Amino acid sequence: AKIALYAENSYRWVITYLAAVVSSNVIVPLDKELKTEEAAKLFNICGADMLVYSGKKASLAENLSENLKHSLCLDNFSDAVKKGGSLIDESGISDVELDVEKVCTIIYTSGTTGDPKGVMLNQRNLISDMILSIESMWFPKGSVAVLPFNHTFGMMACILCQMYVGAFVFINSGLKYVLRDIKEAKPAHVSVVPMFVESFYKGIWKNARKSGKEKALKKLIKVSNALRKTGIDMRRTLFKSVIDAFGGNLEMLITGGAPISDELIKGFDDFGIKIINGYGITECSPIVALSKYAGNKSGSVGLPIKTVQVKTINENEDGEGEICVKGDIVMMGYYNNPEANAQVFCDGWFNTGDLGRVDEDGFVFITGRKKNLIILENGKNVYPEELEYLIGKIEGVNEVLVYAEDGLITAEIYAEDMSL
């Protein structure tokens, strides 16, 4: 049976997900940010048999009332658990034999470049990505789950990998409470998108300026870096106040989903906090490559995780082409979409639609998205992501979107002070 899950991040969300995938059912997580009509459309497209929802999302159950055979509100979770336990006792079933090659989750892409596509992942995809990612890097135990669980990065990095190594997870209670929850939970690492890292970093220096300690902090960084060159590392002591703002135990920030600047990596390194960057895509469960804290190349998203192969095709004169991936992490295909499957699979390789290069040492560099590429009249290729990165470094710029319009390269900017 297909079980659609439409709710905010919570312990009950995780239990519902796990209960579905370990009982030979298929979980279909729906983005909580979707409007009721959009969620209803996906519910019907995937042919879901049941809806599990939170009280805040009850409008979807009402919208589907005529066609909805089975539903469960997570607000009544304890009653459902008791009823489920009774049914298991009555059935006499003690275990379920799982088929690792059978689809266990369908995750719908955002649809920013077209209609949402349902990515089918099986047990082998998810378990392979979990184990191979952990074997490809080290991270300290203890985390705060900030990313949405309906996204593969959020579920993989914040829940599945943590469970595998036996680490605790504190579930963030809302984006406006991220720093408060981090300070309370005292995590050793947090997985976030680069926007959060940039916000954290700007906050550190904003507080330093506000308290009149900006110059002193800059001098302290110079002293600390000079000491490090002699083999003396005092960062966790010298910048205790900075680290305490994140609970006092933070050692690492893991990022993905977008490029992150070397300035941010170095900036947090100055304070004694490592930044691990990576590359992933929903269709690959999602983690494909991870940077190593030591030995990573500037601008790279790191090396492919163990046993995973990455190559490029249709390279240009600069050696940049479309990134292709092969391995156990690659999806089964798109749900009920043979045309899309034919476009992305070739000789066992998955064509990601991302542009980049792989150097002689195997390091992966991501340039942009194939569908976002801007080709000027003179044939010059312009990657909007590169321009967005440069504009984003300008003080006062919070977010930026670059695109082509009427033959011109256009940038829409969301500033910190929108009155400017």
Side-chain angles (χ1 to χ4, degrees), residues 124-189:
R124 175 174 52 81
N125 296 146
L126 295 172
I127 298 301
S128 296
D129 201 59
M130 178 184 73
I131 294 175
L132 296 173
S133 297
I134 290 173
E135 289 183 349
S136 298
M137 66 170 289
W138 169 89
F139 59 85
K141 291 184 179 181
S143 183
V144 171
V146 175
L147 301 169
F149 296 158
N150 65 284
H151 292 171
T152 44
F153 182 30
M155 191 61 188
M156 180 58 68
C158 299
I159 300 298
L160 297 181
C161 286
Q162 308 305 318
M163 290 178 61
Y164 184 67
V165 300
F168 84 80
V169 180
F170 185 109
I171 299 177
N172 167 236
S173 50
L175 293 183
K176 63 181 178 181
Y177 303 116
V178 169
L179 277 175
R180 184 201 69 181
D181 288 351
I182 288 175
K183 192 167 185 177
E184 180 181 341
K186 300 176 171 47
H189 81 275

Side-chain angles (χ1 to χ4, degrees), residues 329-341:
I329 65 173
V330 175
M331 68 171 180
M332 300 170 65
Y334 296 117
Y335 180 70
N336 278 354
N337 200 333
E339 291 182 2
N341 290 330

